[in-house]
Amino acid sequence: MIAVLGLLAGIVVGLLLKPDVPAPFVPYLPIAVVAALDAVFGALRAYFDGIFDDKVFVVSFVSNVLIAATIVFLGDKLGVGGQLTTGVIVVLGIRIFSNAAAIRRHVFHA
């Protein structure tokens, strides 16, 4: 519950302050957002499965964002940033939809 409140507080603060993202980090922002969403949906699924742990959520959240951004950074350095970005988005998207399906099954008891 604290994680959800922290997430909502972060969204509100971001909307009110409207922070600027430095230009060198702009290509990594969409990847970071998708990786963070993957961690959030994974946490929701774990909550419904009764195995949620806030420490695991924080580690998952931070590591997902860092690993995804690192993969895209390395892709940029190798000249294949677009392809690796697409790959990361596809993999994380599949995980998000898989978690969303599990959450839906819990909510609707199917």
Side-chain angles (χ1 to χ4, degrees):
M1 185 62 175
I2 292 174
V4 174
L5 293 175
L7 179 65
L8 292 175
I11 291 171
V12 169
V13 169
L15 290 173
L16 293 176
L17 296 180
K18 297 180 181 163
D20 292 327
V21 177
F25 298 123
V26 168
Y28 308 109
L29 184 61
I31 300 301
V33 169
V34 172
L37 284 174
D38 175 50
V40 169
F41 276 94
L44 283 172
R45 180 180 185 175
Y47 174 79
F48 283 117
D49 288 341
I51 58 171
F52 177 77
D53 183 6
D54 55 346
K55 292 174 187 160
V56 172
F57 169 70
V58 171
V59 170
S60 172
F61 189 90
V62 172
S63 65
N64 276 7
V65 170
L66 289 177
I67 291 169
T70 301
I71 289 170
V72 174
F73 173 77
L74 290 174
D76 283 344
K77 294 300 177 193
L78 294 172
V80 292
Q83 292 88 343
L84 282 180
T85 299
T86 302
V88 169
I89 293 291
V90 168
V91 169
L92 292 176
I94 290 169
R95 288 172 42 113
I96 289 170
F97 283 111
S98 173
N99 286 330
I103 292 166
R104 202 172 37 248
R105 284 191 297 274
H106 278 288
V107 170
F108 295 112
H109 307 290

